[in-house]
Amino acid sequence: DQMTVPRAETRGPTMRRILLAIALPVLLAGCGAEPVWAPQEVVSRALYTTGDEPSITLYTVIRTAGGEGAHSALLVDNDHRAIFDPAGTWRHRAAPERNDVHFGMTPQMLEFYIDYHARETYYVVEQRVPVSAEVAAMAMREIQAYGAVPKAMCAVSVAQVLRKVPGFEDIGSTYFPRRLMRDFARRPGVQERIITDDDADDNTTLLAVQAVRAAPG
């Protein structure tokens, strides 16, 4: 990110240093991402295999009123299934997290994830593309290597992951989930569905209910 300070060039080196000293902490405060790293034994115990053909699925959360994109996430299914939920707020102890990647995405965990996002003010678009095992393995490596993502960077981080995967190189770099969704829709064989729900907008209670409904393992 860049910040323009009016007339900074006319104020001399000392003034520029003062302005930078004031501005940098503010700028950096908005760029951090808190790393999360579940222990290996917890991750290994949670791993879930669907037995389905390998695939990559983009989830886009869209505001019902106005149609703006609100969030992007990427589900990768190969020898196990995990979701890259950059800067996301969903969590469950049965789906341990390592830097925005949740493992153990069983059918119940995926249902919980979608239900958390689909509510009266938002709906979810699911776009699934079958891929080879090699492509899915590469996508799985990329989501695990990306690292914790700062707020408001969900779409751009997913796009950066996809651009490194064969068959997705033309995905545009964007901060807008809807634009990413449109690019993803051009994949051959994409299967799309729209998920709506009339749950209340405040989903914090739902998160607590989900935590009680399922136990690890």
Side-chain angles (χ1 to χ4, degrees), residues 20-142:
L20 285 172
I22 295 171
L24 278 177
V26 177
L27 291 174
L28 292 174
C31 296
E34 184 176 351
V36 177
W37 197 258
Q40 182 59 51
E41 62 271 18
V42 175
V43 172
S44 298
R45 190 165 58 245
L47 293 182
Y48 170 73
T49 301
T50 66
D52 297 334
E53 64 179 341
S55 63
I56 295 175
T57 303
L58 176 68
Y59 285 98
T60 307
V61 182
I62 298 177
R63 190 183 302 276
T64 304
E68 303 92 352
H71 189 57
S72 298
L74 199 67
L75 183 76
V76 181
D77 189 356
N78 195 24
D79 55 347
H80 66 90
R81 188 164 69 177
I83 192 166
F84 179 43
D85 187 35
T89 54
W90 179 82
R91 64 189 63 85
H92 197 286
R93 66 189 186 279
E97 177 189 352
R98 282 188 168 182
N99 288 344
D100 291 330
V101 176
H102 293 273
F103 301 89
M105 293 304 292
T106 66
Q108 185 181 44
M109 290 299 107
L110 186 56
E111 178 188 344
F112 281 1
Y113 180 83
I114 295 171
D115 192 33
Y116 175 77
H117 290 90
R119 50 197 192 271
E120 62 180 358
T121 49
Y122 296 93
Y123 65 93
V124 176
V125 179
E126 176 189 84
Q127 295 169 298
R128 179 181 177 274
V129 175
V131 296
S132 69
E134 292 76 17
V135 168
M138 185 175 296
M140 188 71 76
R141 287 194 298 270
E142 291 297 335

Side-chain angles (χ1 to χ4, degrees), residues 96-199:
E97 177 189 352
R98 282 188 168 182
N99 288 344
D100 291 330
V101 176
H102 293 273
F103 301 89
M105 293 304 292
T106 66
Q108 185 181 44
M109 290 299 107
L110 186 56
E111 178 188 344
F112 281 1
Y113 180 83
I114 295 171
D115 192 33
Y116 175 77
H117 290 90
R119 50 197 192 271
E120 62 180 358
T121 49
Y122 296 93
Y123 65 93
V124 176
V125 179
E126 176 189 84
Q127 295 169 298
R128 179 181 177 274
V129 175
V131 296
S132 69
E134 292 76 17
V135 168
M138 185 175 296
M140 188 71 76
R141 287 194 298 270
E142 291 297 335
I143 64 173
Q144 293 184 58
Y146 195 90
V149 179
K151 296 295 183 184
M153 298 283 285
C154 58
V156 73
S157 62
V158 171
Q160 287 172 350
V161 164
L162 286 170
R163 286 161 63 90
K164 296 180 181 179
V165 177
F168 298 85
E169 299 94 338
D170 65 325
I171 293 286
S173 181
T174 180
Y175 287 87
F176 300 100
R178 284 200 70 127
R179 188 172 299 171
L180 174 60
M181 183 181 73
R182 287 195 295 268
D183 281 0
F184 196 91
R186 294 199 294 266
R187 304 312 100 188
V190 64
Q191 303 159 15
E192 182 175 301
R193 74 177 175 128
I194 296 174
I195 304 112
T196 60
D197 202 326
D198 58 1
D199 285 350

